[in-house]
Amino acid sequence: MALNLSEQQAAFQFKGGALTVTTLELFTADVLMIADELSQQTRRAPAFFSQTPVVLAFDKLDQDESVALDLIVATCKQAGLVPIAVRCAQDAIKQSARALGLGWFPPQSERRLREISEKVEQQVIAARKPPRIVRNTVRSGQQLYAKDTDLVVLGSVNEGAEVIADGNVHVWGALRGRSIAGAQGDQSTRIFCQQFKAELVSIGGIFQTFESYDWPEAVERPIEIYLDDERLIIGS
Amino acid sequence: MAKVVVITSGKGGVGKTTSCASIGTALAMQGFRTVLIDFDVGLRNLDLVMGCERRVVYDLINVLSGEAKLSQALIKDKRLDGLYMLPASQTRDKDALTLEGVEEIINELKEDFDYILCDSPAGIERGALLAMYFAEEAVIVTNPEVSSVRDSDRIIGLLDSKTRMAEQGQAVPSRLLITRYNPERVEQSEMMSVKDIEEILAIPLVGVVPESEAVLKASNQGIPVVHDQESDAGQAYSDMTARFLGEERDMRFAEIEKKGFFSRMFGGRR
């Protein structure tokens, strides 16, 4: 029998997942004010309010403010919203939520917010890796990629070669091949070269190809290429 | 100890085999024991340019597969002592070439010779990669033409990554040999200049061989053009080989020569 257990069909399955849920963040416990504003909003976008699950958040209210949760829930239901849970620190609200059959989320604590901002900061620091430096000429058929950083080529990039960076691309010699900066989509990146004869340049996914004699006057000067309002600017 | 030199270009028809024959001949003239290996399996050419096609009995593939001894396959040049060649096979395909086999042959030749010149086939396939794999020096043959320059660029990239020296973290010293050069056409912007090519390929220049009727004539007669010291191309190959050996020589044939009175009168071209 035990062997057959695995073949039995399960009645259900728990699945974790992140759903996007609208949070109704209350700035007041005044039911009349809430009802008034809700009805205005409902008229403006009725489709949005029809059977939309919401979480009622009380984080912004004072700790000791008395809240008539049952009235607020009723008001929401009138407007077409379906309250599914509350988010609060107050024990009283948590108790009434249980009575009304609503779920409970812990409040978004300061600590959690701080953790998030610290994490973001760490990510920014991690993204700033030392540049990849290439000392020789990049030749036809060769492709170089500097992941999460800048690429510095001390030689030239010849026709048929490709230099790609998630950050900026610096070419100390002549750029004759293809150069792609901001390969992950960063549109603030730039391309620099001492001589511009490129076949193609791209910044943050916006690219342009060049016929051989498009820039005769730009050939002998240092050139900087950047994006201005999604337009490639080639300047010196 | 012998030095292994690959003569390569990427593009076909730029003068690899002609150059290989002339450089090898010039080295032998200087007294170096030299052997030329034709890696263009399936398209035998070097034996024709060397004028020994009728003496080919065994070839590189026969040696690799153990059907012949190296000494049986080596053909001695009829004009110079100390010059030999190992022909490619015309009947077998290039899959018969193996890295281990080539290494064995090169090691055996190293004991007996000063220079081993590997004449690479065109392209970047197996034959070309095997011809360059054991190279300790490279001569890149380039025509003053954009497609040839680009292919040479590609080949230099492969020399820097796909050779034994590269695998040991060293670069194969490569030098540039420009062939079929015509300064008058460069003047008229019909051809790339030596300066343009040097700038793109960024390797030292070892020689410039002018476009010359003597080259075609020599190839058809099976006499390497360097034997024809009357010709500009023959002199250019002598100069090039001297530079290759470390001598300093003026870079002739890269500029337009002032024509003398007689040649102007008779439009004489060698």
Side-chain angles (χ1 to χ4, degrees):
Chain A
M1 274 309 285
L3 283 172
N4 287 338
L5 273 177
S6 58
E7 284 172 22
Q8 265 181 6
Q9 279 213 330
F12 57 77
Q13 181 184 12
F14 275 114
K15 274 188 149 179
L19 291 171
T20 313
V21 178
T22 311
T23 307
L24 192 65
E25 199 160 46
L26 297 169
F27 301 133
T28 175
D30 189 334
V31 183
L32 285 178
M33 262 177 81
I34 295 169
D36 196 35
E37 215 163 305
L38 265 180
S39 67
Q40 276 179 34
Q41 303 246 6
T42 321
R43 252 176 284 133
R44 243 179 280 153
F48 175 78
F49 289 96
S50 147
Q51 219 188 340
T52 303
V54 289
V55 173
L56 302 172
F58 296 91
D59 323 52
K60 292 280 157 78
L61 295 184
D62 282 340
Q63 283 291 325
D64 44 5
E65 192 157 350
S66 65
V67 175
L69 187 64
D70 48 349
L71 289 180
I72 295 174
V73 168
T75 310
C76 287
K77 281 185 174 161
Q78 258 175 18
L81 298 171
V82 184
I84 54 167
V86 295
R87 194 176 74 202
C88 63
Q90 298 93 319
D91 219 34
I93 302 175
K94 191 178 168 185
Q95 297 300 335
S96 17
R98 179 183 291 162
L100 287 164
L102 297 179
W104 172 79
F105 288 111
Q108 276 192 319
S109 69
E110 293 278 315
R111 203 177 127 250
R112 168 95 186 112
L113 287 174
R114 214 167 45 231
E115 267 173 21
I116 289 170
S117 68
E118 266 171 16
K119 205 173 161 195
V120 168
E121 238 167 65
Q122 271 174 356
Q123 273 173 353
V124 170
I125 292 165
R128 212 169 281 169
K129 288 201 304 187
R132 179 170 179 194
I133 298 172
V134 178
R135 294 201 148 73
N136 45 335
T137 300
V138 188
R139 301 190 180 275
S140 179
Q142 293 178 330
Q143 190 188 55
L144 296 176
Y145 175 40
K147 189 170 164 44
D148 298 329
T149 186
D150 288 2
L151 178 62
V152 182
V153 179
L154 300 185
S156 295
V157 175
N158 280 352
E159 281 173 352
E162 210 167 67
V163 286
I164 306 167
D166 290 341
N168 305 301
V169 176
H170 304 256
V171 180
W172 287 25
L175 174 57
R176 304 188 185 94
R178 296 157 168 253
S179 174
I180 293 158
Q184 303 266 20
D186 184 352
Q187 299 201 337
S188 68
T189 53
R190 290 171 184 235
I191 296 170
F192 306 89
C193 63
Q194 286 294 326
Q195 255 191 50
F196 185 80
K197 296 178 183 172
E199 297 170 323
L200 176 147
V201 293
S202 167
I203 292 176
I206 293 175
F207 71 91
Q208 190 176 340
T209 57
F210 299 93
E211 294 291 325
S212 33
Y213 295 107
D214 270 358
W215 302 92
E217 81 284 3
V219 160
E220 299 301 332
R221 292 182 287 151
I223 292 286
E224 176 182 11
I225 303 154
Y226 56 95
L227 274 185
D228 181 24
D229 195 20
E230 307 222 324
R231 273 169 52 89
L232 274 171
I233 308 292
I234 294 159
S236 55
Chain B
M1 192 62 181
K3 193 143 229 180
V4 184
V5 183
V6 63
I7 317 287
T8 185
S9 70
K11 194 170 158 63
V14 297
K16 281 182 298 295
T17 300
T18 304
S19 298
C20 188
S22 276
I23 297 166
T25 302
L27 285 170
M29 283 172 169
Q30 301 260 341
F32 293 104
R33 284 181 62 79
T34 305
V35 58
L36 315 177
I37 309 176
D38 190 352
F39 274 87
D40 205 348
V41 174
L43 296 167
R44 248 172 57 191
N45 280 165
L46 186 60
D47 50 329
L48 286 168
V49 177
M50 293 296 292
C52 59
E53 72 277 10
R54 294 185 172 277
R55 289 187 287 146
V56 173
V57 181
Y58 295 110
D59 56 44
L60 179 63
I61 302 298
N62 291 137
V63 180
L64 278 171
S65 56
E67 293 158 10
K69 279 193 283 188
L70 189 56
S71 54
Q72 291 176 296
L74 281 177
I75 302 171
K76 190 182 174 305
D77 188 70
K78 58 188 168 199
R79 298 175 195 90
L80 285 166
D81 282 337
L83 180 60
Y84 291 81
M85 80 153 298
L86 187 54
S89 171
Q90 206 161 17
T91 49
R92 308 283 281 273
D93 73 275
K94 58 182 185 297
D95 294 337
L97 281 176
T98 61
L99 194 68
E100 297 74 27
V102 172
E103 181 171 27
E104 215 170 283
I105 287 181
I106 286 182
N107 283 342
E108 205 176 328
L109 291 171
K110 270 188 169 180
E111 286 170 17
D112 202 25
F113 289 93
D114 301 314
Y115 282 96
I116 300 167
L117 301 192
C118 303
D119 182 23
S120 168
I124 52 172
E125 305 289 319
R126 189 181 177 80
L129 294 178
L130 278 173
M132 71 166 68
Y133 186 78
F134 296 102
E136 291 150 343
E137 256 190 80
V139 174
I140 312 293
V141 184
T142 303
N143 284 172
E145 179 206 349
V146 282
S147 58
S148 172
V149 173
R150 183 179 294 196
D151 291 357
S152 294
D153 194 39
R154 180 90 168 94
I155 280 288
I156 301 167
L158 292 174
L159 278 165
D160 290 344
S161 59
K162 295 273 162 88
T163 55
R164 190 160 64 176
M165 277 182 82
E167 282 166 10
Q168 291 166 353
Q170 289 170 291
V172 178
S174 307
R175 282 184 276 181
L176 173 63
L177 174 63
I178 300 174
T179 56
R180 296 233 174 97
Y181 196 69
N182 185 337
E184 279 140 41
R185 293 184 67 188
V186 172
E187 189 93 327
Q188 286 156 27
S189 304
E190 290 174 3
M191 238 181 213
M192 292 178 79
S193 69
V194 171
K195 186 173 157 279
D196 288 346
I197 301 169
E198 273 189 287
E199 210 176 282
I200 291 173
L201 295 182
I203 55 172
L205 181 69
V206 71
V208 176
V209 178
E211 199 171 34
S212 167
E213 287 162 17
V215 172
L216 184 65
K217 199 179 94 191
S219 292
N220 286 336
Q221 289 178 339
I223 308 166
V225 71
V226 75
H227 279 295
D228 180 4
Q229 280 297 315
E230 298 287 301
S231 71
D232 45 4
Q235 293 170 26
Y237 276 116
S238 297
D239 282 5
M240 179 263 158
T241 308
R243 275 186 222 107
F244 181 80
L245 292 169
E247 207 177 299
E248 289 215 8
R249 289 210 185 173
D250 282 344
M251 201 62 78
R252 294 190 281 171
F253 315 112
E255 306 292 333
I256 297 178
E257 272 178 71
K258 298 277 182 293
K259 279 192 175 172
F261 173 73
F262 279 104
S263 51
R264 248 186 298 155
M265 283 292 288
F266 304 110
R269 286 202 98 199
R270 283 166 291 196

